[in-house]
Amino acid sequence: MELRSHAGKVYDRGMENGPERDLTAFILAGGKSTRMGADKAFVDYAGRTLLARALDLARSVAFDVRIVGSKEKFAAFAPVVEDVICDCGPLGGIHAALQASSTELNIVLAVDVPFISWAFLQYLIKQARGAPEAAVVVPRGDEGWQPLCAIYRREFAGVAERALRAGRNKIDRLFDEVQTRVVEQEELEGAGFSPAIFRNLNTPEELEGEKRRGAINLWRAQ
């Protein structure tokens, strides 16, 4: 059940807000990181861990910021939410987050997407406020859905739980079961955002490639 709209103009970055109290931000950091060979949350990128970057970004838009993962690993960094239904992948993390939330709007952000910007999260928040009937506000581009950089209302927890109990762990298949505000690539680009912001870092090769790209861009800027 898709709800669509188009921005019609470049996003006005003058519409700036500080952290907001009526939404919660959750960093999904419970993945096994098997392809990276090390816990992605603690991987260094440009002098800071991916977890530190994600926490700073989340705290720039929400007062209440939590990590979804292991308390043993992450309790020193922020309040932690652990999965209620275990070993079910990211949908299990989203379910746990929404079960723990006390706010209607909830930002879910994977720990391994360091190119998401403050301005983009503000854009998503604006779309969510403008579509109160939508249980999910989620980007979709040429690379597909981006459910780990999206906004969920608490009602999605019930849909997620039913799916998990039935052994259905695919997040995007649930978007047909609820009112969903889809932010398509055309809209993203019209608002001034590149689809490249959704690049994630899954392997050492991807990490090194991004480091080289950053070094080249810095050299060109000098």
Side-chain angles (χ1 to χ4, degrees):
M1 288 176 278
E2 297 182 5
L3 306 172
R4 303 179 184 224
S5 70
H6 295 281
K9 63 178 180 178
V10 173
Y11 178 59
D12 180 2
R13 286 163 176 77
M15 298 165 54
E16 298 185 352
N17 301 304
E20 301 184 40
R21 297 185 180 275
D22 64 342
L23 72 147
T24 307
F26 293 92
I27 307 300
L28 294 191
K32 298 184 185 299
S33 304
T34 52
R35 293 169 62 192
M36 182 63 75
D39 194 321
K40 282 192 284 188
F42 302 114
V43 164
D44 178 87
Y45 177 68
R48 301 173 66 213
T49 65
L50 293 181
L51 178 62
R53 288 174 172 275
L55 285 171
D56 282 353
L57 176 62
R59 287 166 177 156
S60 73
V61 296
F63 277 101
D64 190 354
V65 175
R66 310 184 199 183
I67 301 170
V68 181
S70 164
K71 287 184 179 179
E72 183 179 356
K73 282 186 183 180
F74 300 117
F77 303 97
V80 175
V81 174
E82 294 187 310
D83 286 358
V84 178
I85 304 174
C86 298
D87 300 320
C88 294
L91 183 59
I94 293 171
H95 168 258
L98 299 179
Q99 288 275 61
S101 178
S102 61
T103 60
E104 188 65 20
L105 296 179
N106 301 276
I107 297 172
V108 170
L109 188 66
V111 75
D112 62 347
V113 284
F115 310 108
I116 300 298
S117 67
W118 175 92
F120 179 69
L121 291 187
Q122 287 290 343
Y123 185 81
L124 280 188
I125 293 167
K126 180 184 176 185
Q127 305 317 304
R129 296 196 189 285
E133 72 278 28
V136 184
V137 177
V138 57
R140 179 171 62 185
D142 289 344
E143 300 299 319
W145 297 95
Q146 300 295 334
L148 304 187
C149 181
I151 295 180
Y152 296 82
R153 283 186 163 81
R154 280 187 295 175
E155 67 187 83
F156 191 79
V159 178
E161 179 157 347
R162 289 192 294 273
L164 291 168
R165 299 291 183 193
R168 297 186 292 122
N169 301 340
K170 287 283 190 179
I171 303 170
D172 54 8
R173 292 181 182 174
L174 302 183
F175 296 156
D176 287 335
E177 300 182 22
V178 296
Q179 291 288 320
T180 301
R181 164 72 168 92
V182 183
V183 183
E184 301 282 11
Q185 182 161 319
E186 179 184 359
E187 179 181 346
L188 287 172
E189 293 175 342
F193 301 108
S194 167
I197 63 175
F198 301 117
R199 295 197 311 276
N200 59 2
L201 302 177
N202 287 315
T203 66
E205 291 76 19
E206 290 175 352
L207 178 64
E208 289 305 313
E210 291 298 339
K211 288 179 178 179
R212 287 194 298 273
R213 184 179 291 111
I216 291 170
N217 291 339
L218 179 62
W219 176 77
R220 287 175 175 170
Q222 291 175 346

